[in-house]
Amino acid sequence: MALHTIENKTAETTRTRSPVGPPKKSARAHAAQRWRRKASRVVLYGALIAGAVVMLFPFFWMISSSLKTFQEVNLSPPTMLPSDPQWSNYAQAWEGPPSGFGRYFLNSLIVAVLGTALQLVTGITAAYAFARMKFRFNNLLFLVVLATMMIPFEARIVPNYVLIRQIPLTGGNDLLGEGGSGLYDTYAGMILPGVAGAFAIFLLRQAFMAVPRDYWDAIRMDGASHWTFLWRVLIPMTMPAVLTVVLFGFIGRWNELLWPLIATQSESIRPVQLGLMAFSGDEGSLYHLLMAATTLVAVPGIIFFLFVQRRFVEGLTAFGVKG
Amino acid sequence: MASEIIVRRRKRQRMERLWLPALYLAPTLVLLWAFDIYPIFLSAWMSLWRWGIQPEEFIGLDNYIRIFEQIGSRPGGAPGEVGQSLMVTGFYVLGTVPATIVIAFVIANLLNSKVRFLGALRTAYFVPYITSTVAAGLAFVWLLNPQVGVLNSLMEWFGLPAQQWLLDPEPIVPKLLGAVGIGWPDGAPGFLAGPSVALVCVMAFSVWNTLGFAVVIILAGLITIDPQVKEAARMDGVNSWQMATRITMPLVSPTLFLLLVVSTIRSFQSFNEVYVLTSGGGYGAGAGSPLDSTLTLPVLIFRHLYERPSSVGFAAALSMLLFFLLLIVTLVQFRFAERRVHYD
Amino acid sequence: MSMSKRAALPSFLLAGTLLVTSCSGGDAGDPGNAAASTESIDGIELPEGVEIDFWHIQATIYGEAMTEMVQEFNATNEWGIVVNESFKGSYQELNQAVRASLAGGGAPDVSMAYENDTLEYVANDVIEPLDPYIESEQYGVPEEDMADMVDGVLARQQVDAYNGSTLSWPHGNSSMGMYYNADLFAEAGIDAPPADWDEFLDQARQMKDETGLPYSAMGTGKNGIYYNMLRSKGITPYDPGAATTEFTSPESIESLELLALLFEEELAYTAADTEQEFTNERTATELGTTARTSTKIEQIQDKFQWSVALTPQETAEPITQLYGGNHVILSSDDPEQELASWLFMRWFADTDAQSIYAARTGYSPAVESALDTELLSTNYEENPQKAAAFDNVFVNAQIMPPTAAGNAIDDMVTGIVEEVVLGRLTPQEAAERMDAEATSLLASAPQN
């Protein structure tokens, strides 16, 4: 492990290069430069838009399929656009699964918001300890945290289920965790196993470590504590990383499927991804409704992303963050 | 007086060194222990058993010996199930991780410049990550349909032969060489022939699917770069290539390093992509078809866990194999790649 | 029910005790509770309002039909039993949930299961044998009702490997049939689906000559078709009891040769979704599950004439693959709970429920009397292909002999048959490899 070599290293490449005044240029050179810039703009836009089309095509396909009839969605070769858009598919998909999608959305929102908030708090404090505190076994412990990312998900399912059912004093359990159903079939049971996330800790640790030590030394002079430094200085300076954790935390929970399936039994508390399963089964799928429902389920994630990416830009200007 | 203050401060510092980190780490460590670390110990224990619904027989290291035996060849010269899945996983990781990071780095840089419709463009690149793998997989399956897919229409348009894509277990290298008239030597080792056409399709899907994730991670790093640094470099007459490799890259290296580690781990654990694209409809062909040419290690674990009798112990042993493989790869990445990372 | 493991697992708080305690469950199959007897069952006076949990894998129209049936049962059963149904995802996910619940508590009372799982469950003593319930005076199944059940469906509840016990009861069933496009048949001058495999090949060539279209689309898993060929020639592909196979028999070589020929002459081809190939008129026939009859009716509508026939047969006793799942009772130490589970299962496999299931979905009814109900007879009149699926195909369907090694053998056979149609292996080589691998898989499979 080379973890110990990394504190306080400066990127000399950038620091030693001091800015010099703009060189004077002739009018012709200016014109040529402007033209070159224009051309490179065109290439840039061309590339970005072409890439975006490739990236978006399956999404377009999803929406197009969501507006077809059962017959048309199974046509092959398929039609690009629905011959007669079936907007009613959305209403049908919304009502389709046993609890109706309104309920699934609410459940997912509860799980995603609470889960992400808890993950953020535990992630921030843990990352801070790893990035900024000197204690024995720091590197070793961090490695242990990272190692939890490497555990195959199949290995977790059964032990987590057993544990959730045996949390003492919940769901009719006694002090020893026996007798009741614990957190099985509850929101808490769905949320808890994902709260501590190695990825969030890793991402925040990297961001915290990138903040120059001078800031800490300065605030330390004023007698501020770790706690103050963390929330007043570090978090605002690493806002993009924090937002990234929030974004992926939210989407991760929103898309979770297997664990909620195992950890719940009542349709009334199940999340959206389980609602989607109502449209495909071992004996065939209702692709038109599946696509309509999938489109609806993707909307909150997209809205969330738009919000976060806007904050990215604001964060940049508001805090004037330095590298 | 002064010495007393110093002593007290030292004492406080010592307390801080012990208790403060413990306090900051406690919630995380307790939860990780209960939900992640304990299960891996349990897996290690289960891997020493023949285990079905419950433990059946303590067999020591037999499951590991079985893994070792199944690396070797089956009748007919093909590698055993485990050997095959290790090879497939290797192709998969090597084929997806570098490609994803390089493409994402380029796109993130482009998206970090001042362009119009920035929000819309960024969203476009992120949407695949939000879209459910199942729905996106269906779109890909249709694109790659051998009979009526768009890709085969394109191939025909370019005068190229139509392909079986996701149904094609043939390795890609001899196929490509064959297309330009070079024969493949019979005795050449199997891994040189490369991944199957089907696996290449799955890998392409995976890159498409995870690109948005990588782009956002890199963007978050790029945004924190002080614009003055770049401006100063530009004044110095640094061209775009130098800007990317000499200025931007070192400054976002902590982020790139994180991405490398995380993407590698995720790639080793890829299951959904394979499952959605190649498990086929109807009866018979399970995930990993055709001819096990897309059988990644997690798919093999899944197969033994649910489709083989009393193989939970064997699946646990395979899980341990995957876990330790990842641990070694990650340690190597820390040992060699993190040296190049600049923390400021 | 596996109490030893439940006691072992809360040790998560103490790493040290983990390894010690989790081995206390080491002796596989703790004795469990004594099986119920007919007398003890007859003696139970079921109180009003017993609740049971039922886990299944059914979504789409199948899920809707199931909800409807469960509601019907809850509303009408004379004991006031309340069934709480819970969808548990794909079959593997259901399996995962059941295993987790067996380790940590909260197992359902009734679950869907296939024969291979039933074998594993009974070996671990976690399910209840059903014979005492069937024979019960008060709660049993009368003789005439037993006779009413379709032969293959009844047979799969009491296969040889269960050693004379009945361990499961029907859920929903379908069978492997041969869909054919009657318009394309007419165009090629073919008047009826093939009676045997030689005719199958002749028709395939005729189809290619007359229309230029391939005769049959086959999925990526061709083991089912290959097994079907063997069984239609009077051969059972493998015998789990004796750990022997018939893969090297002349009939098997003949079948592999036919498959190789069909692909070599491009009379058949591999498609990921064979149903799509058939409904979009790119092929004249499809060998597949009759459960898809209902979706085909909706997809094809008036595009072309079609029906479903029995796969080609070469003996006097026609046979084809039987598909679908069963129900099992998971032991709960509570006789009332178990009896309520049985009463629900009995109802589910009986005339009313099966007629709803068959009318709403592509499954065929487990009992013949369902055909006489108004619901199903009307449905079959309106959808003649569904009636054809039952009359022509379903009544001839039998499952393959179940074995714990079944999935492993299927995967192996799928792979090797694929190599035959790709021309990488000769039928003879393939047959020998399949025989060698299957024999060793059967020999090493846990015996029941």
Side-chain angles (χ1 to χ4, degrees):
Chain A
M1 292 269 308
L3 286 172
H4 53 282
T5 62
I6 50 200
E7 291 262 17
N8 253 344
K9 210 183 267 180
T10 43
E12 284 154 29
T13 36
T14 58
R15 283 298 151 93
T16 50
R17 208 182 293 271
S18 60
V20 287
K24 293 186 169 57
K25 281 175 185 165
S26 70
R28 247 176 88 181
H30 266 293
Q33 199 183 11
R34 258 212 307 278
W35 190 86
R36 253 210 325 264
R37 231 177 234 178
K38 226 173 203 170
S40 73
R41 284 261 122 176
V42 170
V43 172
L44 174 68
Y45 274 108
L48 279 177
I49 291 170
V53 167
V54 171
M55 295 304 280
L56 279 180
F57 184 80
F59 197 72
F60 156 78
W61 187 248
M62 188 170 89
I63 294 173
S64 164
S65 303
S66 74
L67 294 170
K68 295 176 178 176
T69 60
F70 180 73
Q71 286 76 32
E72 194 176 1
V73 88
N74 284 295
L75 270 190
S76 127
T79 48
M80 260 305 160
L81 292 169
S83 54
D84 177 18
Q86 304 288 310
W87 297 102
S88 60
N89 283 352
Y90 280 85
Q92 214 181 326
W94 186 264
E95 296 298 334
S99 286
F101 256 104
R103 184 75 212 184
Y104 293 107
F105 266 85
L106 180 69
N107 295 335
S108 272
L109 218 58
I110 291 170
V111 171
V113 170
L114 278 179
T116 309
L118 287 172
Q119 184 184 53
L120 193 63
V121 174
T122 58
I124 284 175
T125 54
Y128 183 80
F130 285 127
R132 290 282 161 179
M133 289 178 176
K134 288 207 176 77
F135 56 95
R136 287 174 80 183
F137 309 123
N138 181 327
N139 290 337
L140 183 71
L141 267 182
F142 180 65
L143 184 70
V144 169
V145 168
L146 269 194
T148 61
M149 273 167 69
M150 304 161 199
I151 300 169
F153 73 91
E154 284 111 334
R156 274 187 270 226
I157 294 291
V158 173
N160 284 1
Y161 174 89
V162 175
L163 179 53
I164 282 295
R165 284 192 70 94
Q166 298 186 336
I167 306 263
L169 303 178
T170 58
N173 275 352
D174 58 21
L175 253 174
L176 294 171
E178 292 286 326
S181 58
L183 295 179
Y184 176 69
D185 212 20
T186 65
Y187 291 118
M190 274 190 273
I191 293 170
L192 215 50
V195 165
F199 170 69
I201 295 169
F202 192 10
L203 191 88
L204 290 166
R205 170 189 178 264
Q206 298 297 88
F208 290 167
M209 283 173 86
V211 174
R213 218 188 144 74
D214 318 355
Y215 288 89
W216 168 240
D217 293 339
I219 202 170
R220 190 72 171 167
M221 291 288 192
D222 302 338
S225 65
H226 278 292
W227 191 251
T228 319
F229 176 63
L230 171 59
W231 295 100
R232 292 275 170 77
V233 181
L234 220 45
I235 298 290
M237 289 185 75
T238 54
M239 215 38 168
V242 172
L243 286 172
T244 310
V245 167
V246 172
L247 177 68
F248 289 127
F250 183 86
I251 290 172
R253 260 151 212 83
W254 192 261
N255 286 340
E256 213 169 21
L257 188 144
L258 191 60
W259 175 244
L261 187 70
I262 304 287
T264 65
Q265 135 148 357
S266 318
E267 284 302 323
S268 60
I269 72 156
R270 287 184 155 180
V272 283
Q273 298 296 329
L274 301 199
L276 288 182
M277 295 178 87
F279 304 110
S280 60
D282 273 18
E283 305 289 2
S285 301
L286 303 166
Y287 289 129
H288 57 314
L289 297 182
L290 177 65
M291 292 300 193
T294 308
T295 308
L296 292 174
V297 166
V299 169
I302 294 172
I303 293 173
F304 203 75
F305 176 77
L306 284 172
F307 167 77
V308 166
Q309 77 94 20
R310 175 156 298 196
R311 298 282 308 187
F312 265 15
V313 184
E314 280 174 17
L316 182 68
T317 48
F319 305 113
V321 179
K322 292 186 163 60
Chain B
M1 282 292 278
S3 64
E4 201 175 295
I5 291 173
I6 291 172
V7 168
R8 206 182 293 156
R9 188 183 288 166
R10 285 231 177 104
K11 208 169 172 187
R12 208 187 82 188
Q13 278 177 350
R14 220 173 322 140
M15 285 292 282
E16 270 192 4
R17 282 206 180 166
L18 197 64
W19 285 108
L20 221 51
L23 207 65
Y24 275 59
L25 287 171
T28 295
L29 292 182
V30 167
L31 287 167
L32 284 181
W33 166 254
F35 292 109
D36 300 82
I37 301 168
Y38 163 70
I40 198 76
F41 279 115
L42 190 63
S43 260
W45 176 239
M46 288 167 88
S47 74
L48 304 177
W49 288 75
R50 211 165 72 101
W51 194 302
I53 285 173
Q54 39 196 330
E56 289 169 10
E57 189 190 351
F58 187 83
I59 52 172
L61 294 176
D62 277 10
N63 283 324
Y64 292 94
I65 293 167
R66 215 173 119 201
I67 287 182
F68 197 71
E69 284 168 358
Q70 290 192 11
I71 291 176
S73 66
R74 307 188 244 221
E81 234 181 14
V82 178
Q84 172 73 15
S85 80
L86 285 174
M87 194 169 80
V88 168
T89 310
F91 287 141
Y92 193 87
V93 173
L94 291 175
T96 54
V97 176
T100 307
I101 295 179
V102 169
I103 299 173
F105 184 73
V106 172
I107 292 173
N109 267 294
L110 296 179
L111 287 177
N112 194 37
S113 46
K114 285 204 184 79
V115 288
R116 268 167 209 263
F117 313 117
L118 189 66
L121 278 170
R122 281 183 181 167
T123 312
Y125 284 92
F126 193 66
V127 156
Y129 187 73
I130 306 174
T131 312
S132 93
T133 314
V134 176
L138 286 171
F140 263 75
V141 165
W142 171 73
L143 283 172
L144 297 170
N145 184 308
Q147 278 76 38
V148 294
V150 170
L151 214 58
N152 266 349
S153 309
L154 277 175
M155 294 288 281
E156 269 167 46
W157 195 71
F158 282 112
L160 297 167
Q163 299 295 319
Q164 287 283 301
W165 304 118
L166 286 167
L167 302 178
D168 191 347
E170 302 290 340
I172 188 129
V173 175
K175 204 155 189 154
L176 288 176
L177 288 179
V180 292
I182 302 171
W184 183 253
D186 267 345
F191 68 90
L192 281 181
S196 70
V197 176
L199 185 60
V200 172
C201 294
V202 179
M203 280 156 49
F205 176 72
S206 167
V207 171
W208 173 85
N209 199 31
T210 52
L211 199 59
F213 170 79
V215 167
V216 168
I217 299 270
I218 297 176
L219 259 180
L222 288 177
I223 282 165
T224 25
I225 295 179
D226 190 341
Q228 288 172 358
V229 174
K230 286 180 128 183
E231 196 48 43
R234 201 167 287 132
M235 295 291 185
D236 274 356
V238 168
N239 67 30
S240 335
W241 174 254
Q242 287 169 326
M243 182 76 94
T245 54
R246 302 259 182 85
I247 313 274
T248 317
M249 211 106 96
L251 283 175
V252 293
S253 57
T255 309
L256 288 178
F257 176 68
L258 166 127
L259 195 59
L260 174 70
V261 173
V262 173
S263 303
T264 307
I265 293 173
R266 288 196 174 180
S267 186
F268 262 98
Q269 294 180 336
S270 59
F271 173 81
N272 277 346
E273 297 91 334
V274 181
Y275 196 74
V276 166
L277 289 184
T278 67
S279 66
Y283 297 88
S289 62
L291 296 184
D292 286 353
S293 77
T294 63
L295 183 75
T296 59
L297 207 42
V299 175
L300 182 65
I301 294 174
F302 179 87
R303 183 182 282 182
H304 279 280
L305 207 46
Y306 303 114
E307 292 168 1
R308 299 288 185 271
S310 301
S311 279
V312 174
F314 186 63
L318 285 170
S319 296
M320 296 308 291
L321 172 70
L322 178 55
F323 177 74
F324 280 108
L325 260 180
L326 267 172
L327 203 60
I328 291 166
V329 169
T330 309
L331 282 175
V332 167
Q333 285 174 339
F334 267 93
R335 185 88 182 76
F336 293 101
E338 207 187 23
R339 283 200 184 153
R340 296 160 171 260
V341 173
H342 299 274
Y343 294 98
D344 191 273
Chain C
M1 179 200 73
S2 60
M3 288 305 290
S4 50
K5 263 199 81 198
R6 288 199 59 194
L9 286 159
S11 58
F12 71 91
L13 289 169
L14 303 156
T17 58
L18 160 77
L19 301 184
V20 185
T21 50
S22 63
C23 76
S24 65
D27 316 294
D30 40 1
N33 58 319
S37 67
T38 304
E39 293 78 51
S40 67
I41 289 165
D42 270 330
I44 301 175
E45 209 53 63
L46 207 58
E48 182 83 12
V50 175
E51 282 199 40
I52 58 169
D53 288 335
F54 165 45
W55 289 1
H56 63 83
I57 60 158
Q58 299 295 6
T60 67
I61 52 169
Y62 291 81
E64 285 168 26
M66 181 106 79
T67 308
E68 189 181 327
M69 289 152 77
V70 167
Q71 279 167 359
E72 171 100 16
F73 178 76
N74 287 347
T76 59
N77 81 82
E78 58 182 288
W79 309 276
I81 299 168
V82 179
V83 177
N84 300 312
E85 51 132 350
S86 185
F87 169 64
K88 283 287 172 182
S90 72
Y91 192 71
Q92 282 86 359
E93 285 155 352
L94 168 75
N95 211 323
Q96 199 161 24
V98 171
R99 281 163 191 266
S101 70
L102 288 172
D109 299 285
V110 178
S111 175
M112 281 184 67
Y114 294 122
E115 282 77 10
N116 294 348
D117 310 293
T118 307
L119 277 174
E120 206 172 343
Y121 291 152
V122 75
N124 286 281
D125 197 23
V126 296
I127 56 170
E128 290 295 303
L130 302 180
D131 305 278
Y133 294 96
I134 296 169
E135 288 152 19
S136 152
E137 199 114 316
Q138 204 181 340
Y139 304 110
V141 183
E143 206 106 310
E144 68 266 26
D145 283 5
M146 291 293 274
D148 185 27
M149 197 172 282
V150 175
D151 295 343
V153 176
L154 181 59
R156 74 183 293 186
Q157 322 300 334
Q158 355 181 272
V159 294
D160 292 344
Y162 297 169
N163 293 327
S165 299
T166 311
L167 294 178
S168 61
W169 211 238
H171 170 83
N173 292 273
S174 62
S175 48
M176 183 191 265
M178 181 171 168
Y179 295 100
Y180 62 95
N181 182 326
D183 288 359
L184 283 175
F185 267 31
E187 199 183 321
I190 301 167
D191 25 83
D196 58 33
W197 292 103
D198 284 339
E199 203 183 349
F200 186 93
L201 179 62
D202 292 342
Q203 291 192 356
R205 286 177 170 149
Q206 199 174 335
M207 182 62 64
K208 188 93 187 168
D209 289 344
E210 299 293 327
T211 67
L213 283 178
Y215 184 65
S216 196
M218 295 183 187
T220 41
K222 298 178 183 68
N223 58 326
I225 292 171
Y226 165 65
Y227 291 155
N228 206 294
M229 287 177 167
L230 288 191
R231 299 177 87 194
S232 71
K233 295 170 196 284
I235 299 275
T236 303
Y238 50 79
D239 178 350
T244 55
T245 87
E246 295 286 346
F247 291 140
T248 50
S249 63
E251 289 86 351
S252 164
I253 305 285
E254 207 176 281
S255 303
L256 291 169
E257 278 167 353
L258 173 62
L259 277 168
L261 199 61
L262 287 168
F263 278 80
E264 199 184 302
E265 296 185 18
E266 295 180 356
L267 307 172
Y269 64 108
T270 304
D273 185 343
T274 53
E275 178 166 60
Q276 206 178 57
E277 300 302 305
F278 181 76
T279 58
N280 287 287
E281 300 167 84
R282 279 196 292 276
T283 179
T285 71
E286 179 202 354
L287 296 167
T289 162
T290 50
R292 292 298 184 93
T293 311
S294 56
T295 49
K296 280 193 176 65
I297 291 171
E298 262 194 79
Q299 282 181 35
I300 298 169
Q301 293 186 327
D302 297 328
K303 272 201 295 191
F304 57 87
Q305 297 294 312
W306 64 282
S307 192
V308 55
L310 186 61
T311 49
Q313 299 292 329
E314 308 201 337
T315 70
E317 286 171 47
I319 187 168
T320 187
Q321 315 288 99
L322 178 61
Y323 298 130
N326 308 310
H327 292 148
V328 293
I329 299 181
L330 288 143
S331 311
S332 66
D333 290 337
D334 180 347
E336 288 171 0
Q337 205 82 3
E338 288 168 359
L339 175 59
S341 303
W342 160 250
L343 290 170
F344 170 61
M345 274 164 50
R346 184 183 72 167
W347 180 85
F348 200 101
D350 208 353
T351 318
D352 290 340
Q354 287 292 311
S355 64
I356 298 177
Y357 219 2
R360 297 270 182 278
T361 72
Y363 283 148
S364 293
V367 285
E368 306 217 16
S369 58
L371 299 174
D372 304 330
T373 60
E374 202 191 320
L375 177 66
L376 195 56
S377 59
T378 321
N379 183 270
Y380 275 9
E381 245 165 65
E382 287 164 1
N383 303 289
Q385 289 94 348
K386 283 175 80 172
F390 185 90
D391 296 336
N392 299 342
V393 190
F394 187 69
V395 291
N396 300 307
Q398 297 276 348
I399 59 162
M400 293 270 290
T403 154
N407 286 325
I409 294 177
D410 287 353
D411 283 357
M412 180 272 297
V413 169
T414 298
I416 293 179
V417 170
E418 196 64 35
E419 298 207 47
V420 171
V421 305
L422 288 170
R424 289 176 173 191
L425 285 177
T426 66
Q428 188 63 42
E429 288 166 349
E432 281 162 18
R433 262 180 62 184
M434 288 194 292
D435 179 61
E437 294 202 25
T439 310
S440 91
L441 284 169
L442 286 169
S444 62
Q447 294 296 311
N448 189 34

